[in-house]
Amino acid sequence: MEMLQHIELVTGPDPKGTIIWMHGLGADGWDFVPIVRELPLPEDLALRFIFPHAPPRAVTINNNQVMRAWYDIVPDGQSLDFARKPDEAGIRESQKAVEVLIEREKKRGVPADKIILAGFSQGGAIALQTGLRHAEGLAGIAALSTYLAIPDALAKEASAANRRTPIFMVHGTQDPVIPVALADASRKTLEAAGYPVQWTTYPMPHSVCAEEVEALGEWIAAKFRSRILLA
């Protein structure tokens, strides 16, 4: 599979870890680049951030408008509960594309256990989809304002290597795009399966807030500090 176009940003020489960060529907890789400078990361923690661009595709729920999307979203009959009719082909295609980026990092000398998958909305769904199924243990998964895209397949497809991978999961209580109830149901599914989930809600819409960025930065720093010291 051809590698996704992407943006790279390093916070220092000789990065010790990598964060692959997927954007939301209709955005692109540039969307979360500015957040790097806002994360409270230690100055001596050199990381590589990779922000891939999803390929353009027609999105059914948006009147078939072509935009960057990790998968199609099809409304479920009379409701907008798009999670009931997941675009499994598109989801799995994007999963494979992220796997290509992971393999490239491993070839660069960054092992899987020093890679975090992160994403917002659709991008967060792909971070969970890929991370929970990756054959080697990852440093963590950051799932922002998102949900499990194919929850019914998780039990069968989950990787034993990532059963204890830490998951940072946050959502807005005022989110009109992805209801907090859907995210909470995904969180409960993960916890019931034994995954360690750090779950927080904030009084925000479908977005990120300063408190969330602060908490995410601390979580990232803690995950890499522990793994680098043990290396």
mmCIF file of all heavy atoms in Angstrom, residues 44-71:
data_model
loop_
_atom_site.group_PDB
_atom_site.id
_atom_site.type_symbol
_atom_site.label_atom_id
_atom_site.label_comp_id
_atom_site.label_asym_id
_atom_site.label_seq_id
_atom_site.Cartn_x
_atom_site.Cartn_y
_atom_site.Cartn_z
ATOM 1 N N ASP A 44 13.386 18.202 27.226
ATOM 2 C CA ASP A 44 14.390 17.208 26.842
ATOM 3 C C ASP A 44 13.772 15.922 26.304
ATOM 4 O O ASP A 44 14.485 14.937 26.089
ATOM 5 C CB ASP A 44 15.300 16.889 28.029
ATOM 6 C CG ASP A 44 14.536 16.291 29.213
ATOM 7 O OD1 ASP A 44 13.294 16.426 29.246
ATOM 8 O OD2 ASP A 44 15.186 15.701 30.097
ATOM 9 N N LEU A 45 12.464 15.905 26.083
ATOM 10 C CA LEU A 45 11.796 14.734 25.523
ATOM 11 C C LEU A 45 11.600 14.949 24.026
ATOM 12 O O LEU A 45 10.675 15.638 23.596
ATOM 13 C CB LEU A 45 10.452 14.497 26.208
ATOM 14 C CG LEU A 45 9.624 13.305 25.696
ATOM 15 C CD1 LEU A 45 10.395 11.994 25.827
ATOM 16 C CD2 LEU A 45 8.288 13.234 26.426
ATOM 17 N N ALA A 46 12.478 14.385 23.221
ATOM 18 C CA ALA A 46 12.422 14.558 21.763
ATOM 19 C C ALA A 46 11.472 13.529 21.154
ATOM 20 O O ALA A 46 11.687 12.321 21.290
ATOM 21 C CB ALA A 46 13.817 14.417 21.167
ATOM 22 N N LEU A 47 10.447 14.027 20.492
ATOM 23 C CA LEU A 47 9.451 13.165 19.870
ATOM 24 C C LEU A 47 9.253 13.556 18.412
ATOM 25 O O LEU A 47 9.482 14.698 18.020
ATOM 26 C CB LEU A 47 8.107 13.274 20.593
ATOM 27 C CG LEU A 47 8.068 12.879 22.070
ATOM 28 C CD1 LEU A 47 6.693 13.169 22.654
ATOM 29 C CD2 LEU A 47 8.437 11.413 22.249
ATOM 30 N N ARG A 48 8.811 12.591 17.619
ATOM 31 C CA ARG A 48 8.419 12.862 16.239
ATOM 32 C C ARG A 48 6.899 12.782 16.145
ATOM 33 O O ARG A 48 6.302 11.786 16.552
ATOM 34 C CB ARG A 48 9.054 11.856 15.279
ATOM 35 C CG ARG A 48 8.630 12.067 13.817
ATOM 36 C CD ARG A 48 9.205 11.017 12.894
ATOM 37 N NE ARG A 48 10.641 11.108 12.784
ATOM 38 C CZ ARG A 48 11.488 10.175 13.193
ATOM 39 N NH1 ARG A 48 11.037 9.048 13.736
ATOM 40 N NH2 ARG A 48 12.793 10.340 13.071
ATOM 41 N N PHE A 49 6.288 13.821 15.612
ATOM 42 C CA PHE A 49 4.849 13.828 15.362
ATOM 43 C C PHE A 49 4.617 13.648 13.867
ATOM 44 O O PHE A 49 5.233 14.336 13.049
ATOM 45 C CB PHE A 49 4.226 15.148 15.822
ATOM 46 C CG PHE A 49 4.107 15.295 17.312
ATOM 47 C CD1 PHE A 49 5.204 15.686 18.071
ATOM 48 C CD2 PHE A 49 2.915 15.037 17.952
ATOM 49 C CE1 PHE A 49 5.102 15.835 19.449
ATOM 50 C CE2 PHE A 49 2.796 15.181 19.329
ATOM 51 C CZ PHE A 49 3.889 15.577 20.077
ATOM 52 N N ILE A 50 3.719 12.743 13.525
ATOM 53 C CA ILE A 50 3.342 12.500 12.138
ATOM 54 C C ILE A 50 1.847 12.762 12.002
ATOM 55 O O ILE A 50 1.032 12.182 12.736
ATOM 56 C CB ILE A 50 3.676 11.066 11.700
ATOM 57 C CG1 ILE A 50 5.188 10.830 11.770
ATOM 58 C CG2 ILE A 50 3.159 10.784 10.289
ATOM 59 C CD1 ILE A 50 5.598 9.407 11.482
ATOM 60 N N PHE A 51 1.494 13.658 11.088
ATOM 61 C CA PHE A 51 0.098 14.025 10.865
ATOM 62 C C PHE A 51 -0.293 13.642 9.435
ATOM 63 O O PHE A 51 -0.089 14.421 8.493
ATOM 64 C CB PHE A 51 -0.094 15.526 11.072
ATOM 65 C CG PHE A 51 0.246 16.007 12.464
ATOM 66 C CD1 PHE A 51 1.507 16.524 12.740
ATOM 67 C CD2 PHE A 51 -0.689 15.936 13.485
ATOM 68 C CE1 PHE A 51 1.819 16.980 14.015
ATOM 69 C CE2 PHE A 51 -0.387 16.383 14.761
ATOM 70 C CZ PHE A 51 0.874 16.906 15.033
ATOM 71 N N PRO A 52 -0.848 12.452 9.232
ATOM 72 C CA PRO A 52 -1.214 12.036 7.868
ATOM 73 C C PRO A 52 -2.485 12.714 7.371
ATOM 74 O O PRO A 52 -3.339 13.137 8.157
ATOM 75 C CB PRO A 52 -1.427 10.521 8.018
ATOM 76 C CG PRO A 52 -1.807 10.339 9.454
ATOM 77 C CD PRO A 52 -1.084 11.398 10.232
ATOM 78 N N HIS A 53 -2.582 12.833 6.049
ATOM 79 C CA HIS A 53 -3.795 13.335 5.403
ATOM 80 C C HIS A 53 -4.643 12.139 4.969
ATOM 81 O O HIS A 53 -4.162 11.262 4.237
ATOM 82 C CB HIS A 53 -3.451 14.145 4.151
ATOM 83 C CG HIS A 53 -2.511 15.286 4.381
ATOM 84 N ND1 HIS A 53 -2.792 16.342 5.214
ATOM 85 C CD2 HIS A 53 -1.282 15.531 3.863
ATOM 86 C CE1 HIS A 53 -1.781 17.204 5.210
ATOM 87 N NE2 HIS A 53 -0.859 16.731 4.391
ATOM 88 N N ALA A 54 -5.885 12.097 5.379
ATOM 89 C CA ALA A 54 -6.794 11.068 4.869
ATOM 90 C C ALA A 54 -7.034 11.314 3.377
ATOM 91 O O ALA A 54 -7.017 12.458 2.924
ATOM 92 C CB ALA A 54 -8.113 11.106 5.618
ATOM 93 N N PRO A 55 -7.276 10.269 2.600
ATOM 94 C CA PRO A 55 -7.556 10.468 1.168
ATOM 95 C C PRO A 55 -8.932 11.092 0.966
ATOM 96 O O PRO A 55 -9.843 10.887 1.773
ATOM 97 C CB PRO A 55 -7.505 9.039 0.607
ATOM 98 C CG PRO A 55 -7.809 8.166 1.772
ATOM 99 C CD PRO A 55 -7.234 8.842 2.975
ATOM 100 N N PRO A 56 -9.126 11.851 -0.102
ATOM 101 C CA PRO A 56 -10.452 12.412 -0.396
ATOM 102 C C PRO A 56 -11.422 11.296 -0.790
ATOM 103 O O PRO A 56 -11.058 10.361 -1.500
ATOM 104 C CB PRO A 56 -10.194 13.361 -1.579
ATOM 105 C CG PRO A 56 -8.713 13.585 -1.589
ATOM 106 C CD PRO A 56 -8.104 12.334 -1.055
ATOM 107 N N ARG A 57 -12.656 11.417 -0.332
ATOM 108 C CA ARG A 57 -13.694 10.464 -0.706
ATOM 109 C C ARG A 57 -15.058 11.139 -0.556
ATOM 110 O O ARG A 57 -15.200 12.117 0.187
ATOM 111 C CB ARG A 57 -13.614 9.187 0.123
ATOM 112 C CG ARG A 57 -14.018 9.338 1.568
ATOM 113 C CD ARG A 57 -13.936 8.008 2.300
ATOM 114 N NE ARG A 57 -12.560 7.633 2.589
ATOM 115 C CZ ARG A 57 -12.092 6.391 2.496
ATOM 116 N NH1 ARG A 57 -12.866 5.414 2.094
ATOM 117 N NH2 ARG A 57 -10.835 6.125 2.795
ATOM 118 N N ALA A 58 -16.054 10.609 -1.244
ATOM 119 C CA ALA A 58 -17.418 11.115 -1.105
ATOM 120 C C ALA A 58 -17.987 10.631 0.220
ATOM 121 O O ALA A 58 -17.870 9.451 0.565
ATOM 122 C CB ALA A 58 -18.277 10.629 -2.264
ATOM 123 N N VAL A 59 -18.600 11.544 0.968
ATOM 124 C CA VAL A 59 -19.157 11.209 2.281
ATOM 125 C C VAL A 59 -20.691 11.313 2.205
ATOM 126 O O VAL A 59 -21.243 12.394 1.999
ATOM 127 C CB VAL A 59 -18.594 12.144 3.367
ATOM 128 C CG1 VAL A 59 -19.224 11.814 4.723
ATOM 129 C CG2 VAL A 59 -17.075 12.013 3.446
ATOM 130 N N THR A 60 -21.348 10.183 2.360
ATOM 131 C CA THR A 60 -22.789 10.097 2.158
ATOM 132 C C THR A 60 -23.567 11.076 3.026
ATOM 133 O O THR A 60 -24.472 11.766 2.552
ATOM 134 C CB THR A 60 -23.269 8.660 2.431
ATOM 135 O OG1 THR A 60 -22.548 7.756 1.594
ATOM 136 C CG2 THR A 60 -24.754 8.526 2.149
ATOM 137 N N ILE A 61 -23.218 11.149 4.320
ATOM 138 C CA ILE A 61 -23.975 11.982 5.249
ATOM 139 C C ILE A 61 -23.846 13.468 4.921
ATOM 140 O O ILE A 61 -24.669 14.282 5.335
ATOM 141 C CB ILE A 61 -23.526 11.693 6.706
ATOM 142 C CG1 ILE A 61 -24.630 12.108 7.686
ATOM 143 C CG2 ILE A 61 -22.210 12.377 7.023
ATOM 144 C CD1 ILE A 61 -24.404 11.654 9.113
ATOM 145 N N ASN A 62 -22.822 13.827 4.164
ATOM 146 C CA ASN A 62 -22.609 15.214 3.735
ATOM 147 C C ASN A 62 -22.979 15.405 2.268
ATOM 148 O O ASN A 62 -22.288 16.075 1.510
ATOM 149 C CB ASN A 62 -21.156 15.633 3.979
ATOM 150 C CG ASN A 62 -20.868 15.839 5.459
ATOM 151 O OD1 ASN A 62 -21.780 15.936 6.269
ATOM 152 N ND2 ASN A 62 -19.601 15.901 5.822
ATOM 153 N N ASN A 63 -24.070 14.770 1.867
ATOM 154 C CA ASN A 63 -24.596 14.902 0.496
ATOM 155 C C ASN A 63 -23.574 14.476 -0.553
ATOM 156 O O ASN A 63 -23.500 15.052 -1.640
ATOM 157 C CB ASN A 63 -25.051 16.334 0.230
ATOM 158 C CG ASN A 63 -26.197 16.751 1.127
ATOM 159 O OD1 ASN A 63 -27.143 15.985 1.322
ATOM 160 N ND2 ASN A 63 -26.105 17.945 1.694
ATOM 161 N N ASN A 64 -22.794 13.465 -0.216
ATOM 162 C CA ASN A 64 -21.782 12.900 -1.119
ATOM 163 C C ASN A 64 -20.697 13.904 -1.509
ATOM 164 O O ASN A 64 -20.015 13.726 -2.520
ATOM 165 C CB ASN A 64 -22.435 12.325 -2.378
ATOM 166 C CG ASN A 64 -23.224 11.069 -2.084
ATOM 167 O OD1 ASN A 64 -22.748 10.178 -1.390
ATOM 168 N ND2 ASN A 64 -24.441 10.992 -2.589
ATOM 169 N N GLN A 65 -20.537 14.926 -0.716
ATOM 170 C CA GLN A 65 -19.461 15.882 -0.959
ATOM 171 C C GLN A 65 -18.112 15.191 -0.776
ATOM 172 O O GLN A 65 -17.929 14.406 0.148
ATOM 173 C CB GLN A 65 -19.572 17.058 0.015
ATOM 174 C CG GLN A 65 -18.523 18.142 -0.202
ATOM 175 C CD GLN A 65 -18.687 19.301 0.762
ATOM 176 O OE1 GLN A 65 -19.700 19.393 1.467
ATOM 177 N NE2 GLN A 65 -17.713 20.177 0.810
ATOM 178 N N VAL A 66 -17.181 15.479 -1.673
ATOM 179 C CA VAL A 66 -15.848 14.881 -1.585
ATOM 180 C C VAL A 66 -14.996 15.691 -0.605
ATOM 181 O O VAL A 66 -14.880 16.916 -0.733
ATOM 182 C CB VAL A 66 -15.162 14.830 -2.968
ATOM 183 C CG1 VAL A 66 -13.740 14.307 -2.842
ATOM 184 C CG2 VAL A 66 -15.971 13.941 -3.913
ATOM 185 N N MET A 67 -14.443 15.006 0.374
ATOM 186 C CA MET A 67 -13.599 15.643 1.385
ATOM 187 C C MET A 67 -12.640 14.599 1.945
ATOM 188 O O MET A 67 -12.796 13.396 1.688
ATOM 189 C CB MET A 67 -14.467 16.213 2.510
ATOM 190 C CG MET A 67 -15.309 15.176 3.230
ATOM 191 S SD MET A 67 -16.442 15.910 4.453
ATOM 192 C CE MET A 67 -17.493 16.857 3.368
ATOM 193 N N ARG A 68 -11.655 15.057 2.666
ATOM 194 C CA ARG A 68 -10.734 14.106 3.298
ATOM 195 C C ARG A 68 -11.475 13.369 4.418
ATOM 196 O O ARG A 68 -12.033 13.992 5.319
ATOM 197 C CB ARG A 68 -9.499 14.814 3.830
ATOM 198 C CG ARG A 68 -8.605 15.360 2.725
ATOM 199 C CD ARG A 68 -7.226 15.740 3.236
ATOM 200 N NE ARG A 68 -6.376 16.247 2.169
ATOM 201 C CZ ARG A 68 -5.668 15.491 1.335
ATOM 202 N NH1 ARG A 68 -5.717 14.173 1.458
ATOM 203 N NH2 ARG A 68 -4.922 16.025 0.396
ATOM 204 N N ALA A 69 -11.480 12.049 4.324
ATOM 205 C CA ALA A 69 -12.216 11.240 5.293
ATOM 206 C C ALA A 69 -11.536 9.882 5.419
ATOM 207 O O ALA A 69 -11.044 9.326 4.436
ATOM 208 C CB ALA A 69 -13.665 11.066 4.855
ATOM 209 N N TRP A 70 -11.523 9.361 6.623
ATOM 210 C CA TRP A 70 -10.924 8.039 6.850
ATOM 211 C C TRP A 70 -11.870 6.918 6.441
ATOM 212 O O TRP A 70 -11.443 5.799 6.185
ATOM 213 C CB TRP A 70 -10.531 7.900 8.314
ATOM 214 C CG TRP A 70 -9.486 8.902 8.726
ATOM 215 C CD1 TRP A 70 -9.660 10.032 9.469
ATOM 216 C CD2 TRP A 70 -8.094 8.887 8.353
ATOM 217 N NE1 TRP A 70 -8.481 10.709 9.600
ATOM 218 C CE2 TRP A 70 -7.498 10.036 8.925
ATOM 219 C CE3 TRP A 70 -7.311 8.021 7.598
ATOM 220 C CZ2 TRP A 70 -6.148 10.340 8.763
ATOM 221 C CZ3 TRP A 70 -5.958 8.314 7.436
ATOM 222 C CH2 TRP A 70 -5.396 9.457 8.024
ATOM 223 N N TYR A 71 -13.175 7.235 6.381
ATOM 224 C CA TYR A 71 -14.176 6.268 5.927
ATOM 225 C C TYR A 71 -15.477 7.029 5.664
ATOM 226 O O TYR A 71 -15.634 8.186 6.086
ATOM 227 C CB TYR A 71 -14.396 5.143 6.943
ATOM 228 C CG TYR A 71 -14.647 5.616 8.362
ATOM 229 C CD1 TYR A 71 -15.926 5.858 8.845
ATOM 230 C CD2 TYR A 71 -13.577 5.805 9.241
ATOM 231 C CE1 TYR A 71 -16.149 6.279 10.140
ATOM 232 C CE2 TYR A 71 -13.786 6.222 10.541
ATOM 233 C CZ TYR A 71 -15.078 6.456 10.985
ATOM 234 O OH TYR A 71 -15.290 6.879 12.278
#
